[in-house]
């Protein structure tokens, strides 16, 4: 007999639930991918009835789904949405929630997912209450915990949080979200590397000059000033998303596509990451803040928080020794573009003359994570009827041309994986701690007299002007090309 499923969302009146979780669950329901008998129970302090909860969620889901929204389907889906008001800080409230869930499950065995979509300050309390009320006990079916980012704000707090979680849940029950891993194009990077034979022989220090991983955002911090000012780009984007992209780009092939085998390989990349010492900080990193950032509500008018950063990483292993990985991310930049550029070495001996003194470009593989998802391979071509003049041209693969049905939101895949108990696309405790262990010394050095200057950059450009000579001094150039959307 198949078990029913219960997804319990803590922080159910928040943004994440409304904007991401429920629309994703609704889409899965429409595609008939949600297991039969899946119910969703929202819990938060706002007093709401089941119906009020449902109609609040309907508005945003409809907005997201647009033409794909079907009234009838929503009505049917909404029947499985329930709401229980209460405070996570009150044991009695959580106990009431527990009774409500048991009633909905009719005291039968069920798979239960506890989703922490609350303020991060409440994670610890939530986990403790789940422990006290024996809600992690698996006698009546699997119990899983989903933890949203941020997972701690430094190594120390991440370790503490892991320790608290492990008092109640075993590691195999814990799913730490990094929504970048739910993106189709990030998973496709594994396919590109490990399901094709032609790239892997070149994917190493013998052929690769360097790698650029850029997550550029055109949006600024908007109304999230209070959160962002305490966090900054390193905590917000590097510790999680950029390091995940780095791991997937640099890892060895796992023996099988299984959660622990995949994560073992990712962890080895972090173990090989060379720590940046205080003495190197000014040379290995670059910091920026966009003009006007200090005027946002919630931001200190003298804030030194970075909204842009570059971190040069070295991976000390046989595959990558001496190949720099440039990680770069920022807000209020030229365009929204997440891309991984594998810059290959130049040919050892060039027969043709460079154009106007410009050294000839070399091959480049651009993995466009978003938007305009695709892959481009750049190579030199002879310009017809122009002597031996060369130009960099490309082979261009676009997902939307090949698969017009579009890209699902990352949360669909991740939620489904949690329901099925597959943790391959979630961060393991050691992964999170090693990521912080790399980021922490940078954060500390940036608050010391050894810190590089905080450059102010104009909105709508590729970060501070200084980032160009910084890379040029290393004999390289940024690939600053906005994706073509059509
Ligand atoms: C979040 C960050 O984790 O990722 C945000 O907190 C950022 O600041 C967002 O905007 C980017 O995600 P995506 O999927 O739009 O690239």
């Amino acid at each position: 007999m198949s078990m029913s499923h219960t997804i319990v969302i803590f922080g159910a009146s928040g943004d994440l639930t409304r904007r991401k979780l429920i629309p994703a669950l609704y889409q899965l329901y429409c595609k008939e991918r949600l297991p039969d008998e899946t119910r969703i129970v929202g819990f938060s302090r706002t007093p709401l009835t089941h119906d009020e909860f449902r109609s609040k969620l309907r508005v945003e889901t409809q907005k997201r789904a647009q033409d794909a929204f079907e009234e009838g389907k929503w009505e049917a889906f909404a029947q499985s949405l329930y709401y229980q008001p209460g405070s996570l800080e009150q044991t009695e409230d959580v106990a009431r929630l527990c009774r409500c869930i048991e009633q909905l499950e009719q005291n039968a065995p069920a798979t239960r997912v506890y989703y922490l979509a609350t303020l991060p300050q409440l994670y610890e309390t939530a986990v403790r209450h789940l422990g006290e009320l024996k809600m992690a006990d698996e006698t009546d079916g699997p119990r899983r915990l989903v933890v949203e980012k941020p997972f701690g704000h430094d190594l120390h707090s991440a370790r503490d949080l892991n320790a608290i979680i492990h008092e109640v849940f075993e590691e195999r029950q814990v799913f730490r979200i990094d929504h970048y891993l739910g993106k189709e194009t990030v998973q496709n990077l594994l396919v590109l590397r490990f399901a094709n034979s032609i790239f892997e022989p070149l994917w190493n220090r013998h052929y690769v000059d360097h790698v650029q991983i850029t997550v550029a955002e055109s949006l600024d911090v908007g109304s999230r000033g209070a959160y962002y000012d305490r966090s900054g780009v390193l905590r917000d984007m590097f510790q999680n998303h950029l390091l995940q992209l780095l791991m997937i780009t640099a890892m060895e092939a796992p023996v099988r596509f299984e959660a622990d085998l995949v994560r073992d390989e990712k962890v080895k990349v972090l173990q090989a990451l060379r720590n940046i010492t205080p003495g190197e900080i000014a040379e290995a990193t670059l910091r920026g803040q966009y003009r006007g950032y200090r005027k946002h509500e919630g931001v200190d008018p003298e804030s030194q928080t970075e909204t842009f950063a570059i971190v040069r990483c070295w991976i000390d292993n046989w595959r990558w020794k001496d190949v720099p990985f440039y990680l770069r991310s920022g807000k209020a930049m030229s365009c929204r573009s997440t891309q991984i550029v594998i810059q290959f070495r130049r040919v050892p001996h060039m027969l043709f003359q460079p154009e106007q003194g410009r050294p000839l470009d070399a091959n480049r593989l651009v993995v466009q994570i978003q938007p305009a998802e695709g892959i481009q391979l750049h190579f030199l071509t002879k310009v017809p009827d122009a002597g031996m003049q060369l130009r960099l041209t490309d082979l261009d693969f676009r997902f939307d041309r090949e698969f017009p049905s579009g890209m699902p939101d990352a949360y669909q895949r991740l939620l489904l994986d949690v329901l099925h108990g597959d943790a391959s696309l979630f961060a393991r405790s050691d992964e999170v701690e090693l990521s912080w262990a790399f980021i922490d010394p940078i954060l500390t050095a940036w608050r010391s007299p050894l810190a590089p200057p905080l450059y102010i950059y104009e909105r709508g450009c590729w970060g501070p002007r200084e980032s160009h000579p910084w890379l040029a001094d290393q004999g390289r150039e940024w690939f600053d090309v906005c994706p073509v959307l059509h």
Side-chain angles (χ1 to χ4, degrees), residues 20 149 179-180 183 215 217 224 227-228 236-237 240-241 331 336 338 370:
K20 293 287 182 184
K149 71 165 276 243
H179 76 282
Y180 267 57
K183 292 186 191 280
V215 183
E217 295 185 279
R224 297 165 77 218
Y227 149 77
Y228 197 89
D236 190 50
M237 298 298 286
N240 34 65
H241 312 322
K331 299 265 185 211
R336 176 168 182 254
T338 299
Q370 66 183 20

Side-chain angles (χ1 to χ4, degrees), residues 459-470:
R459 290 164 181 265
C461 56
W462 289 89
R465 237 180 291 125
E466 290 79 359
S467 65
H468 299 282
W470 181 84

Side-chain angles (χ1 to χ4, degrees), residues 94-161:
V94 185
R96 209 170 303 126
L97 168 71
C98 185
R99 286 196 295 278
C100 156
I101 300 168
E102 281 164 359
Q103 231 172 36
L104 290 168
E105 289 170 348
Q106 298 176 329
N107 292 312
T111 300
R112 253 191 234 169
V113 172
Y114 303 114
Y115 201 117
L116 299 185
T118 58
L119 291 174
Q121 300 87 286
L122 292 172
Y123 290 174
E124 193 182 317
T125 320
V127 171
R128 285 199 197 286
H129 280 144
L130 292 174
E132 281 157 21
L133 294 162
K134 306 268 176 287
M135 289 168 81
D137 186 293
E138 295 199 298
T139 328
D140 287 323
R143 300 290 182 258
R144 301 185 184 126
L145 179 75
V146 183
V147 191
E148 263 296 332
K149 71 165 276 243
F151 197 93
H153 56 268
D154 57 12
L155 176 58
H156 186 77
S157 54
R159 271 196 190 135
D160 282 354
L161 184 55

Side-chain angles (χ1 to χ4, degrees), residues 323-431:
V323 178
F325 282 69
Y326 297 101
L327 309 190
R328 174 174 68 150
S329 181
K331 299 265 185 211
M333 290 176 63
S334 309
C335 53
R336 176 168 182 254
S337 177
T338 299
Q339 58 182 213
I340 301 171
V341 177
I342 312 289
Q343 179 66 60
F344 292 96
R345 288 175 186 271
R346 297 207 171 94
V347 293
H349 174 62
M350 188 36 110
L351 306 180
F352 312 103
Q353 286 308 308
E355 216 182 328
Q356 286 147 17
R358 181 182 156 82
L360 276 174
D361 289 306
N363 295 115
R364 189 190 287 139
L365 187 73
V366 180
V367 180
Q368 186 66 38
I369 302 289
Q370 66 183 20
E373 293 80 359
I375 296 166
Q376 288 98 39
L377 180 63
H378 297 207
F379 54 91
L380 285 155
T381 306
K382 179 181 176 312
V383 179
D385 201 18
M388 280 315 258
Q389 200 184 318
L390 311 188
R391 182 182 307 157
L392 207 59
T393 51
D394 65 310
L395 285 175
D396 186 6
F397 162 75
R398 282 279 293 261
F399 274 91
D400 60 355
R401 288 186 210 128
E402 194 73 24
F403 307 103
S405 56
M407 292 285 185
D409 182 78
Y411 278 93
Q412 290 184 35
R413 169 72 194 252
L414 297 177
L415 284 160
L416 215 50
D417 282 359
V418 177
L419 288 170
H420 294 146
D422 180 353
S424 313
L425 299 177
F426 295 83
R428 206 167 58 188
S429 57
D430 49 351
E431 210 173 314

